[in-house]
C-alpha cells in the first residue's frame, strides 16, 4: 500500500525494486553521490514510460535501470562497476546479463564468470571501492 492506502501497482513495485538494487550496488562501490543518485531517478522515470508502453517488460526493469546508470556514469565519470575478479590487465567494468531478461546479474566477460546478482555487489567486492 502507498501512503494514501492504495495498493502499489506491479509497475511501481518493479521500479522501487530496481531503484533499491541499483542504489545498493552504487553504495557498495562508494559512488552513491547525489548527482549519481539523480541518474538512477532519471532512469526510473524513463523506464516507467517504457513499461507503460510495454507492460510485459516489467520484469526487465531492474537490469535496464542498471544499464542506464552504467551508461550515464561511463559518459560522465568512467567505468562502473569495476571488475573485482580480474587483478591483472586493464581495469574493466562488469556487464549486466541478461541484457533484456529477468534475474539480472553482473558478469565479467573477460573471466567468463557471474560476479553477483544485481543489488549484491557488496559481498562480491567485499565493499571495496571501484
Amino acid at each position: 500500500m502507498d501512503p494514501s492506502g492504495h495498493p502499489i501497482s506491479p509497475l511501481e513495485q518493479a521500479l522501487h525494486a530496481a531503484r533499491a538494487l541499483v542504489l545498493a550496488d552504487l553504495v557498495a562501490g562508494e559512488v552513491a553521490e547525489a548527482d549519481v543518485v539523480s541518474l538512477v531517478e532519471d532512469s526510473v522515470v524513463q523506464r516507467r514510460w517504457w513499461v507503460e508502453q510495454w507492460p510485459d517488460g516489467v520484469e526487465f526493469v531492474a537490469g535496464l535501470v542498471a544499464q542506464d546508470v552504467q551508461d550515464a556514469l561511463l559518459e560522465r565519470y568512467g567505468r562502473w562497476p569495476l571488475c573485482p575478479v580480474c587483478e591483472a590487465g586493464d581495469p574493466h567494468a562488469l556487464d549486466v546479463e541478461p541484457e533484456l531478461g529477468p534475474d539480472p546479474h553482473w558478469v565479467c566477460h573477460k573471466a567468463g564468470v557471474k560476479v553477483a546478482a544485481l543489488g549484491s555487489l557488496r559481498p562480491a567486492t567485499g565493499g571495496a571501492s571501484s
Side-chain angles (χ1 to χ4, degrees):
M1 299 263 173
D2 68 15
S4 65
H6 296 98
I8 298 175
S9 72
L11 167 58
E12 290 303 316
Q13 288 176 5
L15 291 169
H16 288 303
R19 178 187 292 114
L21 291 170
V22 174
L23 286 174
D25 286 343
L26 289 166
V27 168
E30 299 177 2
V31 292
E33 305 297 328
D35 57 335
V36 175
V37 172
S38 293
L39 299 174
V40 177
E41 296 305 324
D42 292 346
S43 174
V44 167
V45 168
Q46 293 169 0
R47 293 303 173 178
R48 178 178 286 114
W49 178 88
W50 183 83
V51 176
E52 287 169 350
Q53 308 311 305
W54 187 48
D56 290 343
V58 72
E59 66 183 331
F60 309 148
V61 167
L64 291 169
V65 169
Q67 291 174 62
D68 291 347
V69 171
Q70 189 176 41
D71 291 346
L73 281 170
L74 181 61
E75 289 176 17
R76 296 182 189 194
Y77 303 106
R79 294 179 292 250
W80 174 86
L82 291 180
C83 179
V85 177
C86 299
E87 295 181 13
D90 292 332
H92 56 277
L94 298 174
D95 295 309
V96 175
E97 277 195 2
E99 286 188 23
L100 187 62
D103 188 31
H105 46 274
W106 295 108
V107 298
C108 171
H109 284 289
K110 199 171 188 179
V113 297
K114 184 190 295 190
V115 176
L118 186 65
S120 301
L121 273 179
R122 181 171 296 282
T125 63
S129 68
S130 34

